């Protein structure tokens, strides 16, 4: 028995001919779907994170200030009570200004005013305002006294330096030098 497929006209194609590599053409589509799914998941996670972070109290995200001197077991003198240099405090003087000899001028003033001089040298910084850093709250009042006696306006707690107090001289006061010797020493 013959059917219509047995009698094909020459040059005419008929019947169902499928490509053998049809599966390989779907790999691109599958990859695209996977990438779009990953992007969608990341967007959902980001949106949830934004929603939850905006729902909280913004004040709670601010770090608590360091424990004040009033919470310590042994009260330390307040800033106004400290007017004499403590010679057990080590003071490093670092030149971050690029002005030659600035650290030497300020270190001489530190010794003259009664503090124990530590390291004197250069320091690489992008800051333009001199700062007196103190390591530990127990050194805060002496750091303020060092700053006042040298003409530095800023003090800041920092564990980046090993000395009790570290003076970083920047371009704001490097040329003029330390304040004239008037208080702050143990004279």
């Amino acid at each position: 028995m013959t059917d219509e497929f047995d009698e094909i006209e020459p040059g005419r194609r008929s019947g169902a001919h499928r490509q053998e590599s049809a599966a390989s053409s779907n790999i691109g589509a599958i990859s695209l779907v996977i990438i779009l799914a990953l992007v969608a998941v990341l967007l959902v996670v980001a949106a949830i994170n934004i929603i939850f972070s905006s729902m909280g109290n913004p004040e709670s995200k601010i770090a608590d200030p360091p424990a004040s001197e009033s919470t310590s077991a042994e009260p330390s003198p307040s800033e106004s009570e400290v007017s004499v240099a403590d010679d057990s405090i080590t003071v490093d003087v670092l030149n971050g200004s690029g002005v030659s000899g600035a650290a030497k001028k300020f270190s001489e003033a530190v010794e003259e005013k009664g503090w124990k001089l530590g390291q004197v040298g250069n320091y690489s910084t992008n800051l333009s305002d001199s700062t007196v850093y103190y390591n530990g709250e127990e050194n805060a009042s002496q750091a303020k006294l060092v700053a006042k006696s040298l003409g530095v306006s800023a003090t800041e707690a920092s564990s980046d330096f090993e000395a009790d107090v570290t003076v970083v001289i920047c371009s704001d006061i490097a040329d003029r030098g330390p304040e004239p010797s008037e208080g702050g020493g143990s004279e």
Side-chain angles (χ1 to χ4, degrees), residues 95-179:
N95 183 358
S97 69
V99 175
S100 183
K104 185 176 187 315
K105 285 192 286 188
F106 282 88
S107 66
E108 289 169 354
V110 164
E111 277 187 310
E112 179 183 302
K113 295 180 186 202
W115 288 283
K116 181 171 67 173
L117 186 61
Q119 176 185 354
V120 177
N122 292 325
Y123 183 71
S124 178
T125 182
N126 292 330
L127 300 175
S128 60
D129 293 328
S130 300
T131 304
V132 176
Y133 297 96
Y134 56 93
N135 194 347
E137 284 300 313
E138 66 277 6
N139 297 320
S141 58
Q142 282 294 311
K144 289 176 184 170
L145 187 59
V146 169
K148 182 179 177 188
S149 67
L150 297 178
V152 177
S153 59
T155 60
E156 184 178 318
S158 175
S159 59
D160 293 342
F161 302 99
E162 291 182 23
D164 300 319
V165 175
T166 302
V167 181
V168 177
I169 306 301
C170 295
S171 60
D172 60 336
I173 63 171
D175 285 324
R176 73 158 167 77
E179 290 290 315

Side-chain angles (χ1 to χ4, degrees), residues 69-81:
E69 293 174 6
S70 63
T71 61
S72 65
E74 187 178 300
S76 60
S78 69
E79 177 183 349
S80 61
E81 293 175 32

Side-chain angles (χ1 to χ4, degrees), residues 42-56:
L42 290 174
L43 287 174
V44 168
V45 168
I48 290 172
N49 189 20
I50 290 170
I51 290 169
F52 279 119
S53 67
S54 67
M55 289 173 47

